[in-house]
Amino acid sequence: AQSVTQLDSQVPVFEEAPVELRCNYSSSVSVYLFWYVQYPNQGLQLLLKYLSGSTLVKGINGFEAEFNKSQTSFHLRKPSVHISDTAEYFCAVSSYNNNDMRFGAGTRLTVKP
Amino acid sequence: DTAVSQTPKYLVTQMGNDKSIKCEQNLGHDTMYWYKQDSKKFLKIMFSYNNKELIINETVPNRFSPKSPDKAHLNLHINSLELGDSAVYFCASSYRDSYSPLHFGNGTRLTVT
């Protein structure tokens, strides 16, 4: 079965600074990769997804992620964060032969003024 | 509005009681899920139904019983509630394809006292 590791449980950053949230996955078959964001007291919302094709994927709110097959990574980046980006971010993976989506443990992004 | 809606939003109950959480989606999806999110934000899949058929049944105590009367509804019944059942329970839906992202409800915060 596929699995996901998010390497940082918490990432504090100042407003307007760049940020990278790291995600590594493990699977014996081809995968589909996703990033979700969870604001306080809400459900998860899709930020972006990688299915195939270009390895650089752009999502909502200025986020982007790059799929790196050789390093089995799918890191999330934003060049300049806002206070409103403070939230929990989850990396997720599913494999082409089942729709059992597995989530990482989450990274708490805190943007400070 | 098109969405995944679950009720109630908050549920406070005593140990030993039986409770249900309801979920409905009007997105036309054919697959629905229950996830449990613990106090550390870790998301664990519990069940998945496709067109009323159970397709994922993780290692969950048999006090938890999902029921899907049709593909737009997936309810979760919990018998003999225990303190450790306290968590946020999320309903989600998607198309059956493994590349389809999940759409989440806003969660039900269950507190067992």
Side-chain angles (χ1 to χ4, degrees):
Chain A
Q2 62 273 20
S3 66
V4 173
T5 302
Q6 290 182 245
L7 298 160
D8 306 296
S9 59
Q10 297 186 58
V11 173
V13 64
F14 286 105
E15 194 173 17
E16 297 183 7
V19 71
E20 178 180 82
L21 306 184
R22 297 181 293 167
C23 172
N24 285 89
Y25 68 91
S26 173
S27 176
S28 57
V29 298
S30 296
V31 295
Y32 305 114
L33 293 156
F34 307 82
W35 275 99
Y36 290 82
V37 60
Q38 183 180 27
Y39 299 105
N41 298 316
Q42 292 185 27
L44 281 70
Q45 303 171 33
L46 180 69
L47 266 181
L48 49 78
K49 61 187 177 187
Y50 172 78
L51 303 182
S52 65
S54 173
T55 57
L56 183 63
V57 179
K58 293 191 185 296
I60 62 171
N61 301 342
F63 284 93
E64 63 181 32
E66 184 153 21
F67 171 62
N68 188 318
K69 188 174 181 179
S70 62
Q71 297 188 5
T72 61
S73 67
F74 190 55
H75 301 332
L76 181 71
R77 302 186 185 101
K78 186 169 182 177
S80 175
V81 293
H82 303 292
I83 299 286
S84 59
D85 292 324
T86 295
E88 194 84 24
Y89 291 80
F90 292 91
C91 184
V93 62
S94 65
S95 59
Y96 83 95
N97 59 355
N98 72 70
N99 64 343
D100 179 4
M101 187 172 294
R102 298 287 168 153
F103 287 81
T107 297
R108 173 74 180 166
L109 174 64
T110 303
V111 181
K112 305 175 184 178
Chain B
D1 288 345
T2 54
V4 179
S5 58
Q6 51 182 111
T7 55
K9 187 172 175 64
Y10 300 96
L11 188 51
V12 182
T13 188
Q14 293 183 327
M15 280 195 302
N17 285 348
D18 302 339
K19 291 293 179 186
S20 292
I21 307 172
K22 295 186 175 182
C23 180
E24 175 182 5
Q25 56 93 7
N26 60 3
L27 296 165
H29 293 156
D30 52 9
T31 305
M32 296 185 72
Y33 311 77
W34 279 111
Y35 280 83
K36 179 180 179 180
Q37 186 175 47
D38 63 23
S39 58
K40 295 185 178 179
K41 301 291 187 182
F42 184 72
L43 266 170
K44 181 174 170 16
I45 190 166
M46 300 173 69
F47 303 103
S48 173
Y49 270 76
N50 176 256
N51 279 324
K52 304 193 295 177
E53 179 188 353
L54 182 66
I55 56 172
I56 295 175
N57 185 358
E58 290 291 295
T59 306
V60 174
N62 56 17
R63 299 181 295 102
F64 290 80
S65 53
K67 282 191 170 51
S68 181
D70 57 59
K71 72 175 189 176
H73 295 84
L74 179 62
N75 304 321
L76 183 65
H77 188 75
I78 317 170
N79 289 326
S80 303
L81 278 154
E82 301 177 357
L83 292 175
D85 297 332
S86 294
V88 182
Y89 292 84
F90 285 100
C91 178
S93 70
S94 74
Y95 293 111
R96 177 68 192 262
D97 318 278
S98 55
Y99 51 81
S100 292
L102 271 57
H103 294 251
F104 283 82
N106 283 330
T108 296
R109 183 175 294 276
L110 172 65
T111 304
V112 183
T113 61

